[in-house]
Amino acid sequence: MPARTRRPRRNDALSAALGYFRDLGVREVHLPKLTAKAPPAEAGRRPAAVPPTAPAPEKARSSVEPADSAVLPAARAFPDLASVQSAVAACQLCGLCRTRTQTVFADGTGRSRLMFVGEAPGADEDASGVPFVGRAGQLLTKMVESGMGLSRSDVYIANVLKCRPPGNRNPEPDEIASCRPYLDAQIDLVRPAVLVALGKFAAQFLLETEEPISRLRGRWGSRHGIPVMPTYHPSFLLRQPDRKKEAWEDLQQVLFKLGLPVPRKKTEPTP
Ligand code: URA
């Protein structure tokens, strides 16, 4: 008798996703309560504090194929960026879900060769749902556009944390750990040719180190084979404009790595 192939069960997706979080050390998952007050569109939806989908082949691709085209580990838990975004929107893995106005997922199409990673949303981002739109964000846009000669829409921008820490305090280790699968999945799905880590938290996350940003910046590192350039966070540059020269040198290295021309310098990007 021919061997019977088992039909995928609906729970397989949930088991795979939970297994992924368990491997990362997440021991508890808080599911939102569905109450009678939920609006009709929400009421029929299943709570999605965990990724709702089964492991599946990667769909989103950057324009540069990495040498190893295997599906990367975090991407296995999510088939595409939209499913990561849905999981983030419903996430209750840490206490920041109680103080956020909304989650802040990313800016960009997901088909970029260049990805910036910041720390966490601030007040403007919490209000708008878009990363890097406040003063630091405006400086980042200037660095990308006036400095690097790219358009902001050419790059993908995300943060280590998807929710604003109250009062813009530093992210706590448990918050970073809870949010980790989302950024991992974003990177694995976008597969940029180069990552730029903005500031200490992004650099330490991407390079899995505790070295200070002063020692990391300007030196190439690597995350799963993707070159990582740590540089100063735009908020730091707003406070210390004399350090912009170093950040500009870092971004020139990024352009060089991407094989893009370094625009003739008129003026340094200023806030
Ligand atoms: N700072 C960050 O690190 N991220 C943002 O989105 C805004 C400010």
Side-chain angles (χ1 to χ4, degrees), residues 40-212:
E42 294 290 323
R45 232 186 262 160
R46 290 163 64 127
V50 292
T53 46
E58 182 189 20
K59 289 202 185 110
R61 282 276 157 89
S62 76
S63 51
V64 169
E65 291 287 322
D68 174 8
S69 63
V71 176
L72 292 165
R76 283 201 199 106
F78 300 93
D80 51 31
L81 287 169
S83 64
V84 191
Q85 186 164 10
S86 304
V88 165
C91 183
Q92 303 201 354
L93 289 174
C94 80
L96 296 181
C97 66
R98 289 191 286 278
T99 50
R100 72 186 178 214
T101 304
Q102 59 191 312
T103 55
V104 178
F105 183 64
D107 197 19
T109 61
R111 302 189 66 80
S112 306
R113 299 174 67 214
L114 177 56
M115 174 168 175
F116 287 87
V117 177
E119 179 180 317
D124 294 310
E125 292 77 19
D126 178 67
S128 66
V130 182
F132 282 100
V133 292
R135 275 190 76 219
Q138 285 158 24
L139 177 56
L140 176 62
T141 305
K142 264 190 184 158
M143 290 158 71
V144 169
E145 300 201 332
S146 314
M148 302 179 83
L150 305 172
S151 155
R152 178 167 160 139
S153 60
D154 291 336
V155 306
Y156 189 79
I157 305 174
N159 281 310
V160 173
L161 294 191
K162 310 302 185 214
C163 298
R164 181 191 182 206
N168 297 348
R169 63 158 169 74
N170 285 342
E172 297 286 351
D174 71 300
E175 294 161 356
I176 294 175
S178 299
C179 235
R180 190 187 138 176
Y182 304 132
L183 182 56
D184 275 344
Q186 284 173 294
I187 295 169
D188 289 356
L189 288 162
V190 173
R191 290 202 192 190
V194 172
L195 282 156
V196 176
L198 298 168
K200 163 183 149 168
F201 287 95
Q204 293 184 343
F205 176 100
L206 293 175
L207 298 173
E208 293 175 25
T209 177
E210 304 216 326
E211 276 199 66

Side-chain angles (χ1 to χ4, degrees), residues 19-49:
Y20 177 69
F21 277 89
R22 196 168 43 243
D23 290 347
L24 289 168
V26 176
R27 293 283 169 261
E28 279 179 45
V29 174
H30 302 275
L31 297 175
K33 279 194 193 125
L34 285 182
T35 65
K37 279 197 191 144
E42 294 290 323
R45 232 186 262 160
R46 290 163 64 127

